[in-house]
Amino acid sequence: MAYYFDEPSRTFSEYLLVPGYSSKECRPENVNITTPLVKYRRGESPKIRMNIPLTSAIMQAVSDDRMAIALAKEGGISFIYASQPIESQAAMIRRVKSHKAGFVKSDSNIRPDQTLAEIIALKEKSGHSTIAVTEDGTAEGRIVGLVTGRSYRVSRMPADTKVSEFMTPFSELIYAEEGVSLSEANDMLWNHKLNALPVIDRNGRLTHFVFRKDYDSHKANPNEFLDEHKRYMVGAGVNTRDYEERIPALVDAGADVLCIDSSEGYTEWQRDTIAFVRRKYGDGVKIGAGNVVESDGFRFLADAGADFVKIGIGGGSICITREQKGIGRGQASAVIDVAAARDAYFEETGIRIPLCSDGGIVYDYHMTLALAMGADFLMLGRYFSRFDESPTNKLNINGSYVKEYWGEGSNRARNWQRYDLGGEGGLSFEEGVDSYVPYAGSLKDNVRLSLNKVKSTMCNCGVLDIPSLQRDTKLTIVSATSIVEGGAHDVILKDQTSNLR
């Protein structure tokens, strides 16, 4: 006879946190939301610890190098999507790792034989007024000059004027040599009253810029998630098909952590992928696995050697796995069950494996619920897809701005490897949709607002860190009428009064 779970499959919206005693120390500025990303032994510290409990999903519409840099600045990490050629995914990883905190790769470059018209076009395209002039017009070419907004006057110069005629030549540039520290570079900016400082190697090739405006930016980003070389941390998705070629390329490119991108993790293919990493790299390369929704799946991946385990099947806003296959589980029930298995595994082995809740987050308060139920961090797709930094188009539809957002199981992404069951390659039917999400502005503003809500809620619960939240918080199931009571009700909202006329 089939096994039946006693409890219904529940979502985050079916729970509420119950306030606890709050001391005078329970203020948002005192809350610590750092969290482990990879497993560790009792009494030891994790090798990788994030400054905020947020990661961006392994999706074409969410996680590219631009998103990775933006999220790392706030203290989280992105997993660059795997549904692309190995070479292009590795190139994205390299771009993130080369974007050393404070050291920026030049993305506005031109040759000296090009024209003022091309300078103007490049400025309009990139939005940057500082343009490196290199012999070949590339970011790594031998630098011969610099153009800034003060180098030319459009109203008084012919459009075909050569760049070489108005650029500041290399002989007049103040620059730093490769190996300069960020502190030394900032001192040069201030001492010479510069807005931009080129950094060049021994062959005269441009390696980076350091900008005065970034000095304030780094002061404003105290939670930056950096490696020991002050480079941004970045993750990468892998699949269970081409992992023997993809993983070495991503590791060589500098990926700090890997994650198997799959709709279902309780499989022999995932065990084989993890085994390959352990044979080739030992514990030196970290890899997460998933997704699972109950204790047996967690134990399987824990025994296979996963560094973290991802929870969730069918709970994403663009995922239609449940209606296509009848497979999945409510995200709250899944997190609670897997967290109990994780805690039992820790008591048995002394190894604590972090859990990632992937999907089911509709409102900001769901983040706090997921953490309280046992997740150590969250993976978010729709949430991050709404921001300027996501790689999708911003459109105006019926007077409202939206961004495109599609699932990895949609015909648009055609990421069949994510749903691989070992047969012929290809997507036999869709498990995701192609959609729009309301445009929400910058990542920085939204992430800080969401995390302020999380911290404030934690204070209401009387806790100051995530382990205490998981240990001491009380939760209650809510009824259907209680859910209605939780919102505005029995009043006429002011923005609806026009309907009364």
Side-chain angles (χ1 to χ4, degrees):
M1 181 177 178
Y3 177 83
Y4 290 84
F5 288 87
D6 293 332
E7 280 290 314
S9 177
R10 297 191 184 276
T11 67
F12 292 131
S13 291
E14 295 176 79
Y15 287 88
L16 285 175
L17 292 155
V18 176
Y21 169 72
S22 299
S23 70
K24 292 181 179 179
E25 291 299 308
C26 287
R27 301 193 305 272
E29 62 267 26
N30 292 335
V31 174
N32 177 0
I33 54 173
T34 62
T35 193
L37 179 61
V38 297
K39 67 185 179 184
Y40 59 97
R41 293 188 175 275
R42 182 185 282 112
E44 297 180 354
S45 297
K47 295 294 184 182
I48 306 176
R49 190 175 187 88
M50 293 190 293
N51 294 323
I52 64 172
L54 302 183
T55 67
S56 66
I58 311 169
M59 300 176 69
Q60 295 174 11
V62 180
S63 296
D64 66 352
D65 48 306
R66 186 181 179 207
M67 174 63 71
I69 292 169
L71 184 52
K73 285 182 178 179
E74 299 306 312
I77 194 169
S78 292
F79 287 86
I80 303 294
Y81 66 93
S83 52
Q84 60 177 316
I86 295 172
E87 296 76 15
S88 60
Q89 188 184 17
M92 286 187 181
I93 297 293
R94 282 192 291 270
R95 286 197 291 272
V96 177
K97 298 309 290 186
S98 67
H99 196 114
K100 189 183 295 187
F103 292 85
V104 181
K105 279 284 187 182
S106 177
D107 58 3
S108 296
N109 310 284
I110 204 163
R111 299 189 312 275
D113 61 337
Q114 292 182 265
T115 65
L116 175 60
E118 290 172 294
I119 285 281
I120 295 169
L122 182 57
K123 181 180 177 181
E124 289 177 352
K125 178 182 178 182
S126 68
H128 300 147
S129 57
T130 299
I131 298 173
V133 186
T134 60
E135 285 182 343
D136 58 3
T138 68
E140 295 82 21
R142 184 183 296 274
I143 189 167
V144 295
L146 194 67
V147 172
T148 70
R150 294 178 294 181
S151 302
Y152 57 87
R153 295 187 67 177
V154 176
S155 60
R156 297 193 177 186
M157 295 171 62
D160 60 356
T161 305
K162 298 294 184 184
V163 170
S164 58
E165 296 180 31
F166 58 86
M167 70 181 188
T168 301
F170 177 74
S171 60
E172 298 178 15
L173 289 181
I174 295 172
Y175 60 89
E177 296 181 352
E178 189 176 25
V180 65
S181 71
L182 182 59
S183 177
E184 293 168 338
N186 282 324
D187 286 342
M188 292 181 69
L189 283 171
W190 288 97
N191 293 339
H192 296 282
K193 298 181 174 60
L194 302 174
N195 290 321
L197 178 72
V199 180
I200 66 170
D201 66 16
R202 65 180 62 186
N203 296 315
R205 296 185 176 275
L206 181 65
T207 65
H208 296 89
F209 273 112
V210 178
F211 292 99
R212 178 189 290 261
K213 63 180 177 61
D214 287 340
Y215 177 83
D216 293 331
S217 172
H218 291 294
K219 290 296 183 183
N221 293 302
N223 289 326
E224 286 181 318
F225 192 25
L226 308 173
D227 65 17
E228 66 273 19
H229 302 295
K230 303 295 184 184
R231 301 174 302 180
Y232 291 119
M233 297 285 281
V234 62
V238 299
N239 62 61
T240 58
R241 279 278 179 152
D242 64 6
Y243 59 88
E244 292 186 349
E245 296 78 37
R246 188 175 294 270
I247 288 176
L250 299 178
V251 171
D252 289 345
D256 296 289
V257 60
L258 307 174
C259 183
I260 301 173
D261 179 30
S262 175
S263 67
E264 211 280 287
Y266 195 179
T267 72
E268 187 174 358
W269 294 284
Q270 292 223 4
R271 183 173 62 190
D272 290 347
T273 305
I274 298 170
F276 168 78
V277 170
R278 296 295 172 245
R279 285 196 308 271
K280 187 171 181 64
Y281 301 103
D283 290 329
V285 169
K286 306 301 182 184
I287 183 168
N291 288 14
V292 298
V293 292
E294 46 79 56
S295 57
D296 291 344
F298 167 81
R299 183 67 193 226
F300 174 81
L301 292 177
D303 289 341
D307 286 293
F308 64 86
V309 172
K310 210 144 60 81
I311 307 167
I313 295 176
S317 61
I318 41 67
C319 184
I320 55 174
T321 292
R322 294 181 192 175
E323 65 182 62
Q324 290 281 52
K325 291 181 173 179
I327 291 286
R329 196 176 187 189
Q331 190 67 4
S333 296
V335 172
I336 292 168
D337 194 353
V338 174
R342 184 269 310 278
D343 293 345
Y345 185 85
F346 178 58
E347 289 301 316
E348 176 187 338
T349 66
I351 299 172
R352 192 178 193 281
I353 299 178
L355 300 178
C356 170
S357 178
D358 177 17
I361 301 294
V362 181
Y363 306 107
D364 285 348
Y365 82 89
H366 288 170
M367 296 181 182
T368 320
L369 282 167
L371 296 171
M373 290 173 179
D376 296 279
F377 57 96
L378 316 174
M379 180 170 281
L380 305 170
R382 180 196 62 84
Y383 178 84
F384 285 112
S385 70
R386 304 171 301 145
F387 303 150
D388 290 317
E389 293 82 1
S390 75
T392 63
N393 294 318
K394 176 183 171 185
L395 307 172
N396 188 316
I397 296 181
N398 297 326
S400 297
Y401 283 105
V402 298
K403 294 207 76 176
E404 295 179 296
Y405 181 46
W406 60 92
E408 289 296 292
S410 67
N411 276 326
R412 181 169 183 174
R414 302 203 64 79
N415 183 8
W416 62 268
Q417 294 95 334
R418 190 175 198 276
Y419 305 89
D420 187 21
L421 294 176
E424 293 297 321
L427 196 66
S428 55
F429 57 90
E430 287 187 282
E431 293 190 44
V433 300
D434 197 344
S435 65
Y436 300 114
V437 290
Y439 168 68
S442 74
L443 179 145
K444 175 188 289 291
D445 292 341
N446 283 278
V447 164
R448 293 193 176 185
L449 175 60
S450 296
L451 293 180
N452 280 339
K453 293 179 184 178
V454 171
K455 291 179 180 180
S456 180
T457 305
M458 290 172 66
C459 289
N460 292 141
C461 295
V463 298
L464 292 175
D465 56 39
I466 293 174
S468 299
L469 178 70
Q470 296 170 345
R471 183 184 64 243
D472 300 332
T473 298
K474 298 177 182 178
L475 297 101
T476 182
I477 296 173
V478 296
S479 66
T481 52
S482 180
I483 293 174
V484 173
E485 180 186 65
H489 59 91
D490 301 318
V491 295
I492 299 171
L493 299 179
K494 290 185 176 181
D495 61 2
Q496 295 175 353
T497 54
S498 59
N499 297 328
L500 302 178
R501 298 191 183 100

